[in-house]
Amino acid sequence: MTLNPADDAFAGTLAAELPDNSLRRAEPRYLEEPRGRWQGSSGWVALPRSADEAARILRACNAARVGVVPFGGGTGLVGGQVAPDTPAPLIVSLERMSAIRAVYPQENVLVAEAGAVLASVQEAAREAGATVFAYGAFLTAVINFFIIAFVVFMLVKTVNRVKSAAEKPDEVAPEVKTGPSELDILIEIRDSLKR
């Protein structure tokens, strides 16, 4: 299937079907992966406010055979928001669809729109009294614990080494025996055997 680009003519047609300020030129943040590894190619971004608007946008893209790249909260790091090897697609940003529709703390269920970011979801869950497992904070605490434990271990090990070295009595040099050397004794034995 051959795709057509989301060009100015398509944007004009689509803008006529949408409320004001629902379509705009693509800013760099929509075209770049956050780490700078990939660069997308699109001239237009659609910003629906509801599922109905999103459906109208997708119907228009399907009819015109224009590719679509979804854009959620903008926090992904997999390059999914860029399409470098296709005709310029339409980016459908779901960032305006960020409402928390319902929270059911007894069931640990939260219904959120596609553009809701994790911080907003966790805040809404906390406010409703639901259990929130903030795994990022948990992992940070675990990593910090291991770093501090390693530093304390190395410190205790060093203190113990210094302490044991200070407690050891100075080593005394071995006594030097005076008297005949081994060679002298061997010569004496040889001489006595000759007699």
Side-chain angles (χ1 to χ4, degrees), residues 12 15 17 20 22 25 64-65 76-77 79 82 114 125 135 144 147 149 157 174 189:
E17 297 180 29
D20 290 342
S22 292
R25 291 264 180 209
R65 300 178 67 93
L77 295 175
V82 295
Y135 60 88
N144 286 341
I147 290 170
K157 186 177 175 182
I189 292 173

Side-chain angles (χ1 to χ4, degrees), residues 17-108:
E17 297 180 29
L18 298 174
D20 290 342
N21 202 18
S22 292
L23 191 67
R24 65 179 176 212
R25 291 264 180 209
E27 301 167 17
R29 70 185 181 104
Y30 294 109
L31 303 175
E32 298 169 355
E33 187 265 342
R35 295 170 295 179
R37 293 186 179 180
W38 297 286
Q39 178 72 34
S41 61
S42 180
W44 294 94
V45 176
L47 298 124
R49 291 179 184 88
S50 66
D52 179 57
E53 286 181 25
R56 280 191 274 161
I57 291 166
L58 293 177
R59 276 194 296 276
C61 289
N62 185 45
R65 300 178 67 93
V66 170
V68 173
V69 173
F71 186 88
T75 59
L77 295 175
V78 295
Q81 75 274 25
V82 295
D85 301 327
T86 62
L90 176 70
I91 297 173
V92 179
S93 174
L94 303 172
E95 62 194 301
R96 288 185 178 167
M97 295 176 62
S98 60
I100 308 298
R101 294 186 176 238
V103 181
Y104 305 101
Q106 293 79 16
E107 293 88 9
N108 282 328

Side-chain angles (χ1 to χ4, degrees), residues 186-195:
L186 288 174
I187 291 172
E188 190 178 321
I189 292 173
R190 182 193 69 184
D191 291 342
S192 47
L193 286 175
K194 280 185 181 178
R195 292 187 221 162

